[in-house]
Structure formats: structure tokens, C-alpha cells
Amino acid sequence: MQTRRNWPRWAKQLRRHRLDALVAALLDATAPLHILGAQVLYFGRPFLGPQAEALARLLESEDEAHAFASYLNGEISR
């Protein structure tokens, strides 16, 4: 998917702040809320920038969100 090209950059930022494990756990634990989060990001896109749309697309797809969590955990590679 289109969002996967952003994964290395997002993962690097999260690892730098030591948030990668937390974000991976939250992505798995909050799956039912992803669609609401995506809508908030779409609404805030003019204020949050283009990365907000990419993150919203990731949250809209349960498979993509799970795959990104696995990527953060080192279970899959790009």
C-alpha cells in the first residue's frame, strides 16, 4: 500500500523517542477505534500536514495497522 513507504521514517522517529513498542501495542489494542482516529486525522489534515492523511489511510485498514505494528516489533521487513 501507499503508506508503507512512510514506515521506515515513522519507525525511525518512534524508535528515537522510544515509543515504537508502545505504538505497536496501541495499534493492536485500539483496533475498534482506528476508524474514529482516521476521521479526526482527515478533519485535521489542513493543520497537521500531509503525514496526517497517510496515517489516516493506515488506520482505515485493519490489515495495514496490524502490519505496521508487526513492522515496529521487527516481525516483518519492508
Side-chain angles (χ1 to χ4, degrees):
M1 245 188 157
Q2 235 178 21
T3 61
R4 290 188 183 215
R5 66 184 170 155
N6 295 310
W7 289 9
R9 184 176 52 236
W10 293 347
K12 182 179 178 182
Q13 289 282 62
L14 291 170
R15 286 186 183 113
R16 182 174 21 184
H17 298 290
R18 296 186 180 172
L19 295 172
D20 52 324
L22 175 65
V23 169
L26 286 173
L27 281 172
D28 286 335
T30 61
L33 301 175
H34 288 176
I35 194 71
L36 294 174
Q39 295 306 309
V40 168
L41 288 168
Y42 280 128
F43 181 73
R45 183 178 18 179
F47 310 105
L48 300 173
Q51 290 299 311
E53 184 173 355
L55 183 56
R57 277 189 257 124
L58 178 126
L59 290 175
E60 283 183 324
S61 169
E62 187 175 332
D63 291 337
E64 279 297 292
H66 181 68
F68 183 58
S70 295
Y71 179 82
L72 287 175
N73 289 326
E75 297 169 10
I76 63 171
S77 61
R78 186 167 186 245

